[in-house]
Amino acid sequence: MPGIKGPSEYSQEPPRHPRLRINAKEPFNAEPLRSDLISSYVTPVDFFYKRNHGPIPIVDDIERYCVSMTGLIDNPKQLFMKDIWNLPKYNVTATLQCAGNRRTAMSNTKTVKGVGWDVAALGNAVWGGAKLADVLELVGIPKLTSATPSGGKHVEFVSIDKCKEENGGPYKASIPLSQATNPGADVLLAYEMNGKTLNRDHGYPLRVVVPGIIGARSVKWLDSIGIITEECQGFFMQKDYKMFPPSVNWDNIDWSTRKPQMDFPVQSAICSLEDVNVVKNGKVTIKGYAVSGGGRGIERVDISVDGGKTWVEASRYQKAGIPYVAGDISSSDKWAWVFFEAHTDVPKDAEIVAKAVDIAANVQPESVEAIWNLRGILNTSWHRVHVRVGHSNM
Ligand code: MTE
């Protein structure tokens, strides 16, 4: 398409905030510092993690940009931005989290393959756009459809970017048609992030946002949407982002034995402290985020200062002045993280631990060893930091 480029090299990357922690330069993968991550409930775009598999596409002719609606539909068509803008606009506050968040800590147990991430490969944004359920109605697929008469059961998103894992082809992913056509699932074709036009790093001009599941399915720089029978057969669905048991290694792996990971388990991390800290007196503020998949709210966050022997409950909040009630969508953002906070005295050498519990009573696992997997995804083990009381320049 003229005016629309998926470059195959990195000479035209967008500018980025100098305080991001760069985990890989090409493709660009970066996360904010822990302290920047918890500086606001809605993550500023500059500090929102950036997870790419190729050079950032350039769309400089928005008039010509369109999304092709293809596959098992009666009337394939091309949707231009004006068609998307004409649909009702929704703002959905949702946390996106990369399945590889906290991978570095998993790798410290036993090496895993993949970009190393600390605890900030996630962010919470207000996404503005059209609901995918409304877009699919434009091509004759009614709301709440799980299969079309012609056998379509999945919705595939194909991007403009070029990824080496796809041999220079585009990034792709799919979700079930039942989720895509359910207005309550809040799947968006987003053109805004935090009230401003989406920027290049995050998918300009149009990206998918699928709340409640791993970030890998929220395809950026949308090129086409296909209605298909089986789930997408692309690399990132079939040969990546699957969770294997600890017994599987690179010699005995059989990718076909596992389904692509979709839902996200319950997660939390302390962000007011680094892994090792020296504090002057024995008082610390323990603050961080907790989030679960599937729109499951956070019922509780437990904090321990003795490595998990005894616990206290932290306070939780989303927006200042509004009490957070897990699962109550009239007062809280269903798809978004909560912040937690506790102020406590710590012993001389303390191992501080956070663990969250969601409204389905799912709890983070105690040890990373128990959930170790060769791709290093979904490290949701208890988050631990160490504090030593002594003299410091902090
Ligand atoms: N979409 C395209 N086209 N290319 C990509 O590399 N990365 C995916 C997803 N969508 C990716 C993509 C992954 S793994 C994640 S975690 C999120 O985008 C990251 O979105 P962000 O960079 O806006 O934070």
Side-chain angles (χ1 to χ4, degrees), residues 23 35 112 169 220 241 243 259 281 333 336 355 372:
N23 298 325
S35 51
V112 298
K220 305 192 270 190
Y241 299 117
M243 192 181 187
K259 298 289 285 175
N281 53 38
D333 292 323
K355 77 164 145 72
W372 184 93

Side-chain angles (χ1 to χ4, degrees), residues 56-89:
I56 308 300
I58 301 164
V59 175
D60 53 21
D61 190 345
I62 194 70
E63 302 276 305
R64 291 198 197 196
Y65 169 82
C66 63
V67 177
S68 306
M69 305 294 293
T70 63
L72 301 168
I73 41 179
D74 294 336
N75 48 346
K77 48 160 109 178
Q78 300 204 312
L79 295 179
F80 290 85
M81 278 312 290
K82 63 173 173 23
D83 302 316
I84 311 278
W85 289 326
N86 273 341
L87 291 169
K89 182 185 168 193

Side-chain angles (χ1 to χ4, degrees), residues 7-71:
S8 47
E9 35 70 47
Y10 293 90
S11 60
Q12 297 177 78
E13 294 285 285
R16 278 108 182 193
H17 199 284
R19 220 162 55 228
L20 286 176
R21 213 182 86 138
I22 299 173
N23 298 325
K25 226 171 156 205
E26 295 179 349
F28 189 77
N29 286 295
E31 66 188 301
L33 302 177
R34 292 180 184 191
S35 51
D36 284 334
L37 185 70
I38 51 162
S39 60
S40 68
Y41 169 66
V42 172
T43 313
V45 174
D46 279 353
F47 290 149
F48 202 97
Y49 79 105
K50 292 153 203 344
R51 174 66 179 116
N52 299 303
H53 290 85
I56 308 300
I58 301 164
V59 175
D60 53 21
D61 190 345
I62 194 70
E63 302 276 305
R64 291 198 197 196
Y65 169 82
C66 63
V67 177
S68 306
M69 305 294 293
T70 63

Side-chain angles (χ1 to χ4, degrees), residues 48-53 96 98 159 161 171 201-202 207 215-216 218-221 241:
F48 202 97
Y49 79 105
K50 292 153 203 344
R51 174 66 179 116
N52 299 303
H53 290 85
L96 269 198
C98 182
S159 168
D161 59 349
Y171 188 96
D201 257 330
H202 296 289
R207 79 172 297 168
S218 289
V219 174
K220 305 192 270 190
W221 315 291
Y241 299 117

Side-chain angles (χ1 to χ4, degrees), residues 40-235:
S40 68
Y41 169 66
V42 172
T43 313
V45 174
D46 279 353
F47 290 149
F48 202 97
Y49 79 105
K50 292 153 203 344
R51 174 66 179 116
N52 299 303
H53 290 85
I56 308 300
I58 301 164
V59 175
D60 53 21
D61 190 345
I62 194 70
E63 302 276 305
R64 291 198 197 196
Y65 169 82
C66 63
V67 177
S68 306
M69 305 294 293
T70 63
L72 301 168
I73 41 179
D74 294 336
N75 48 346
K77 48 160 109 178
Q78 300 204 312
L79 295 179
F80 290 85
M81 278 312 290
K82 63 173 173 23
D83 302 316
I84 311 278
W85 289 326
N86 273 341
L87 291 169
K89 182 185 168 193
Y90 293 87
N91 284 315
V92 175
T93 305
T95 300
L96 269 198
Q97 180 174 194
C98 182
N101 191 26
R102 302 184 56 205
R103 179 180 282 132
T104 301
M106 188 172 275
S107 212
N108 289 343
T109 298
K110 193 169 131 197
T111 308
V112 298
K113 213 186 246 180
V115 175
W117 296 94
D118 188 48
V119 304
L122 81 173
N124 188 44
V126 183
W127 307 98
K131 282 203 184 179
L132 180 58
D134 290 339
V135 172
L136 291 174
E137 263 186 348
L138 296 179
V139 290
I141 303 176
K143 303 253 161 72
L144 302 174
T145 299
S146 50
T148 62
S150 48
K153 289 190 182 153
H154 297 266
V155 181
E156 180 177 60
F157 311 115
V158 181
S159 168
I160 300 170
D161 59 349
K162 299 194 169 95
C163 310
K164 70 172 180 320
E165 292 88 342
E166 289 282 11
N167 301 315
Y171 188 96
K172 300 184 244 186
S174 67
I175 60 169
L177 186 63
S178 53
Q179 186 176 11
T181 56
N182 177 2
D186 285 334
V187 181
L188 291 187
L189 297 192
Y191 43 81
E192 277 183 15
M193 187 175 180
N194 298 349
K196 297 223 171 79
T197 304
L198 209 58
N199 75 8
R200 279 181 61 207
D201 257 330
H202 296 289
Y204 176 82
L206 197 62
R207 79 172 297 168
V208 183
V209 173
V210 192
I213 70 171
I214 64 167
R217 314 305 177 210
S218 289
V219 174
K220 305 192 270 190
W221 315 291
L222 205 50
D223 186 40
S224 66
I225 296 178
I227 306 303
I228 55 177
T229 312
E230 305 287 338
E231 68 200 4
C232 162
Q233 294 301 303
F235 179 92

Side-chain angles (χ1 to χ4, degrees), residues 8 19 58 94 103 128 188 263 268 286 289-290 309-310 357 362:
S8 47
R19 220 162 55 228
I58 301 164
R103 179 180 282 132
L188 291 187
D263 209 335
S268 74
I286 300 159
Y289 64 81
K309 291 193 195 77
T310 59
V357 180
N362 297 306

